[in-house]
Amino acid sequence: MRVPPDDQSAAPLDVLVIGGGQAGLAAGYHLQRAGRTFCILDANARTGDSWRARYDSLVLFTPAKRSALPGLPFPGDPEHYPTKDEVADYLHAYVQAFELPVAHASPVLHLQATPTGFTADTPQGHWTARAVVVATGPFQTPHTPAFARTLAPDVVQLHSSAYRRPTDLPPGRVVVVGSGNSGAQIAQELSRTHTVTVAQGRPQPALPQRLLGRDIFDWLSALGLLEVKAASPLGRALQRRDPVIGTNLRHLSRTRQLRLAPRIVGTAGRALITQDGGRLETESVLWATGFRPNYRWLAVDVLTDQGQPMHDGGVTRVPGVFFVGLPWQRTRNSALLGGVGQDAERLIDHHLSSPGPRRTP
């Protein structure tokens, strides 16, 4: 059921979805099918802007056939790997195709419980709903280590979230700190124009993008690894060492395209200090050190002392508050663009398909 995005004076909605990325849109699709009244609050000016703002060369490591949200195939060759702008355009088209009610430029500043549900404050006004689905995703506050502030001021520092292209960094040496998928992809790109060292902690396993002519996720799916439960022994082991897809840093090191170094533990002037006491003199640093959660606006008791969501498959201990779009929310597939729809469907069907929030029977 569609609700005009600016209709804040009407009766409370059944559900307020906070976050207008793929997780929020997938939740909206299933809420619409369930006949719920809802609105999706998007902090961005346009649907897909969070993807448009990422680095220019970003390409998904899942093919189009595994990158679609429920109800709308990803356009183009099913085997091609979409660019970040293709993803942004697809999300925009998804809203239009299903006429999903999205309020843009509406970051939630404060969410609190009321006797009848929840109230969300945004720059555009107040919203009330009987239940809330938090779909803000894992990429919230860029994280860099505290010692980064002690580097010499003439060393250029950039977090991966602010990186767009190699010309963002001065010529010469660059240390990429972090070797996850984004760090590995950016390091490979920079190796064509810069002298690159990748500083990594525990090396992550690398998987080829394609194996024997098939996408690697076809093999992972056939082996049942995409449906491994987060709480299972195998799931916990996989979470500790999530593989890098398509970029093999060891191979790039062996072919002298870049250099590998141990974990960074401190700084000294223009140098980064490695765990084994080595010094990496550099002109610039690219921090691919991930993100930290930022739920300061969430005044509901659903977070750990470290600010992480407390949930079981997206269901919290507070009736009416749910999460969707978290990595490993239920399975390995939860972290993938094409997998978030399964989590959203399960959540809405089991807990939000009838008036009023429900808990697990």
Side-chain angles (χ1 to χ4, degrees):
M1 185 177 295
R2 193 167 183 269
V3 176
D6 58 354
D7 187 12
Q8 302 149 0
S9 61
L13 302 170
D14 291 327
V15 184
L16 194 61
V17 180
I18 301 175
Q22 57 265 21
L25 301 186
Y29 172 87
H30 288 292
L31 287 167
Q32 189 176 74
R33 286 170 60 88
R36 302 295 90 213
T37 59
F38 70 97
C39 186
I40 301 168
L41 302 184
D42 188 355
N44 295 302
R46 293 182 299 166
T47 297
D49 273 357
S50 61
W51 282 91
R52 293 185 184 94
R54 301 180 74 178
Y55 56 95
D56 293 349
S57 63
L58 175 62
V59 175
L60 295 186
F61 54 66
T62 51
K65 67 183 180 183
R66 292 188 180 274
S67 302
L69 296 182
L72 186 68
F74 204 103
D77 182 352
E79 295 292 338
H80 94 284
Y81 298 94
T83 67
K84 54 106 175 180
D85 289 327
E86 286 181 288
V87 175
D89 292 343
Y90 170 76
L91 296 181
H92 179 75
Y94 193 85
V95 170
Q96 294 182 315
F98 298 108
E99 297 186 305
L100 296 178
V102 180
H104 291 109
S106 297
V108 173
L109 308 175
H110 187 72
L111 179 86
Q112 65 181 9
T114 69
T116 58
F118 303 90
T119 297
D121 299 333
T122 78
Q124 314 304 328
H126 307 289
W127 295 83
T128 60
R130 299 180 182 90
V132 172
V133 174
V134 180
T136 50
F139 305 116
Q140 295 172 13
T141 301
H143 170 72
T144 57
F147 59 71
R149 296 191 295 269
T150 65
L151 261 176
D154 59 337
V155 175
V156 174
Q157 300 186 59
L158 203 62
H159 189 271
S160 60
S161 61
Y163 171 82
R164 298 293 175 268
R165 57 195 68 88
T167 53
D168 289 345
L169 299 174
R173 297 165 295 185
V174 55
V175 177
V176 177
V177 183
S179 57
N181 277 290
S182 292
Q185 288 183 11
I186 293 172
Q188 183 174 28
E189 177 176 63
L190 288 171
S191 70
R192 304 184 188 109
T193 55
H194 292 70
T195 301
V196 176
T197 299
V198 178
Q200 54 183 351
R202 186 181 183 186
Q204 295 171 260
L207 295 176
Q209 184 67 76
R210 302 187 71 82
L211 181 64
L212 300 177
R214 297 182 62 184
D215 178 73
I216 191 64
F217 284 93
D218 290 343
W219 295 104
L220 296 177
S221 178
L223 293 170
L225 293 177
L226 296 184
E227 299 303 325
V228 170
K229 297 293 189 290
S232 69
L234 179 56
R236 289 194 294 268
L238 291 174
Q239 289 176 67
R240 288 193 295 269
R241 299 196 70 194
D242 204 24
V244 174
I245 307 295
T247 306
N248 191 322
L249 292 175
R250 292 179 184 174
H251 173 74
L252 295 175
S253 175
R254 287 194 298 268
T255 56
R256 301 180 183 275
Q257 296 178 62
L258 51 77
R259 175 189 170 198
L260 297 179
R263 181 191 305 274
I264 301 299
V265 296
T267 70
R270 294 175 52 84
L272 295 170
I273 307 303
T274 61
Q275 193 171 30
D276 62 357
R279 293 170 58 93
L280 301 176
E281 299 281 347
T282 188
E283 279 71 54
S284 58
V285 180
L286 191 289
W287 297 102
T289 41
F291 297 79
R292 293 294 183 267
N294 180 7
Y295 295 107
R296 288 192 294 268
W297 51 270
L298 186 55
V300 185
D301 188 19
V302 295
L303 304 175
T304 67
D305 292 340
Q306 293 73 41
Q308 297 283 358
M310 292 186 292
H311 69 98
D312 180 5
V315 181
T316 76
R317 65 186 182 184
V318 175
V321 180
F322 306 91
F323 286 88
V324 71
L326 298 174
W328 282 95
Q329 178 163 315
R330 291 182 52 249
T331 67
R332 173 65 180 88
N333 209 29
S334 297
L336 303 180
L337 183 62
V340 70
Q342 298 173 16
D343 288 352
E345 179 178 20
R346 181 182 178 88
L347 193 69
I348 276 62
D349 286 355
H350 287 201
H351 304 283
L352 291 166
S353 60
S354 60
R358 292 193 290 137
R359 301 303 298 268
T360 304

